[in-house]
Amino acid sequence: MFLSVSGLAKSFGENEVLKNIDFDVKKGEVVSIIGPSGSGKTTMLRCFNGLEQPDKGIYQFEDGFSLTFAEKVRKQDILRLSRKSGMVFQSYNLFPHKTALQNVMEGPVIVQRRNKTEARNEAVELLEKVGLQEKIDLYPHQLSGGQQQRVGIARALALKPELLLFDEPTSALDPELIGDVLKVMKDLANENWTMIIVTHEIQFAAEVSDKVLFMDGGYIIEQGNPDEVLKNPKEERTKRFLQRILNPT
């Protein structure tokens, strides 16, 4: 098991955002998280790379690294957690004053202190991988939303993470740009990257996921393979959500 999560909880003041979350991720598995806005999906994702710190819960990784959040967590342990993952954000979060190539090189060179020539060569390869070989010297404002998001994916891959985290990566895109980003993500799934994806793209989740979690009100209401959760959900809340998404009136 790559990662086991148990008893995860997070509040902001009086607002309990995550409540007793338990689930596992296997190596090479794609886990999609679906659910209504405000159900805690993004907060949970941010807890997996150190952007938010849970109030309670235990992470157990297959390499023996574990974190218990009921006690004070050391800064170096949060840093180790953040180094395990690469995050692709909803709003791209690219450096506006850096080219696509420089954005992808930034983490390896500045954070990981890797050789600049090596980092540049890898960045060029990654931009080719996401179909942007002609755009490496362009700045974010010169790229479409879909192209910016693909730079974001290349930037996450450049860190050579064990886990890729996607926070609704297509929700800010125009419909005609979504397909290019989803294709890159499907390719990564086929390469057996371990991925946790927060998404509203139900068809995409059905195609690429090994496991789907449905969240509502800070809880995981239902989890299982795509057929179980998306085609034959047991819980009434899951059924209602899917009905709204798939058959909007």
Side-chain angles (χ1 to χ4, degrees), residues 220-237:
I220 293 177
I221 304 298
E222 192 162 355
Q223 62 178 297
N225 67 45
D227 280 349
E228 291 168 337
V229 177
L230 300 177
K231 294 182 181 174
N232 300 292
K234 296 183 181 68
E235 300 295 328
E236 197 55 43
R237 272 199 274 183

